[in-house]
Amino acid sequence: MGLFQNINDEELTKILSRINTKTKEYLRGEQIFSENDLCDSIAIVKRGTIKAIHNYSDGHEKIIRILNKDEIIGITLLFSANPKYKASFIADTITTVQIISKKDLLYLMEINPIIMENVLRIISDYSIRLNEHIKLLSYKTIRSKLCAFLFLEYQRTKMPSFVIEYTKTELAALLNVERPSLSFELSKLINEGIIANQNKLYTIININKLEKEL
């Protein structure tokens, strides 16, 4: 669900005609925002995929999250006391984003209660996802982290089969584990008949055994 959820196309066209939105395109690998840049607008992903990456002083980097179509950069940061990006945002594919300034977003929230509700819901959902990620990192073993991540995806999609957009390397970075160790635990889960995996498609075969790992 996005910022303009539950608003029909005719009404949306009228609403957007009242503000000055910008559309920007990026090639794969191009930087959209840099860590510590001032956040004074939101960016809605209209096409493509974006990685949020945190760079450490020792040179290594960690993928914090991946944003897909209709997800929004900056909406939780825009109204904070220190609105500076805590990560760099890099286009992972050919990407198009729609930029809406803070002033225009406040105006949209004022004139349309549906947009106001959508903004509050998006911020609430992000807070829930952040808490989920913190809980994931609190698990002590790589196996339990991986199982918890897969179980969350199962709960989110309500389907035993789902696509995870992360590569194995990206998933390892997200869970703060080594790539070979993640692959080893993934192979064990497959061999034990708990899950199946083909490229980015994951299928939970035995949900009871998966839950017992948590």
Side-chain angles (χ1 to χ4, degrees):
M1 296 179 72
L3 181 63
F4 303 117
Q5 185 73 25
N6 298 323
I7 298 176
N8 63 50
D9 291 342
E10 183 180 353
E11 178 65 16
L12 180 58
T13 300
K14 290 179 181 178
I15 290 172
L16 294 181
S17 68
R18 302 182 187 182
I19 62 173
N20 295 313
T21 64
K22 297 179 182 178
T23 299
K24 295 185 177 181
E25 294 193 353
Y26 298 88
L27 299 176
R28 182 179 181 183
E30 280 196 276
Q31 190 155 279
I32 300 169
F33 300 112
S34 298
E35 194 167 344
N36 292 318
D37 280 354
L38 180 67
C39 175
D40 57 5
S41 61
I42 62 168
I44 304 172
V45 183
K46 307 303 290 185
R47 177 181 65 154
T49 304
I50 297 171
K51 292 180 183 178
I53 297 173
H54 177 67
N55 295 294
Y56 291 86
S57 56
D58 63 1
H60 83 280
E61 62 181 34
K62 178 181 178 182
I63 298 170
I64 299 173
R65 61 182 295 214
I66 291 179
L67 297 98
N68 297 299
K69 187 175 182 294
D70 293 331
E71 293 193 81
I72 304 173
I73 300 172
I75 197 163
T76 58
L77 186 61
L78 194 61
F79 303 106
S80 71
N82 183 27
K84 292 186 177 181
Y85 291 108
K86 305 302 185 291
S88 296
F89 293 85
I90 312 295
D92 195 40
T93 61
I94 296 176
T95 299
T96 304
V97 297
Q98 181 182 31
I99 307 294
I100 300 177
S101 70
K102 180 179 180 179
K103 178 182 176 181
D104 283 336
L105 180 60
L106 286 170
Y107 175 69
L108 293 179
M109 293 166 67
E110 180 183 348
I111 65 172
N112 192 295
I114 295 177
I115 294 178
M116 168 75 82
E117 184 177 343
N118 287 342
V119 168
L120 295 175
R121 176 188 45 74
I122 290 167
I123 292 173
S124 296
D125 287 348
Y126 178 81
S127 177
I128 291 170
R129 288 198 304 270
L130 180 60
N131 287 333
E132 288 174 347
H133 190 213
I134 292 170
K135 185 177 179 180
L136 276 178
L137 297 180
S138 72
Y139 284 96
K140 294 183 179 179
T141 67
I142 297 171
R143 182 183 176 99
S144 60
K145 285 182 180 181
L146 178 57
C147 288
F149 177 81
L150 294 172
F151 187 70
L152 279 174
E153 290 301 310
Y154 166 75
Q155 288 184 312
R156 191 171 288 125
T157 62
K158 297 180 173 59
M159 297 288 290
S161 293
F162 43 81
V163 172
I164 293 176
E165 294 298 335
Y166 298 100
T167 65
K168 300 298 189 302
T169 300
E170 292 166 348
L171 182 55
L174 182 74
L175 299 178
N176 198 28
V177 301
E178 295 296 326
R179 167 71 164 79
S181 300
L182 176 74
S183 295
F184 176 74
E185 293 298 340
L186 183 61
S187 295
K188 284 178 64 177
L189 291 173
I190 293 170
N191 292 335
E192 292 169 22
I194 297 175
I195 68 167
N197 172 230
Q198 184 175 15
N199 296 323
K200 294 186 177 182
L201 178 66
Y202 292 76
T203 300
I204 298 176
I205 298 171
N206 193 321
I207 188 63
N208 292 327
K209 284 188 177 180
L210 186 72
E211 266 194 283
K212 287 179 181 178
E213 298 289 340
L214 308 182

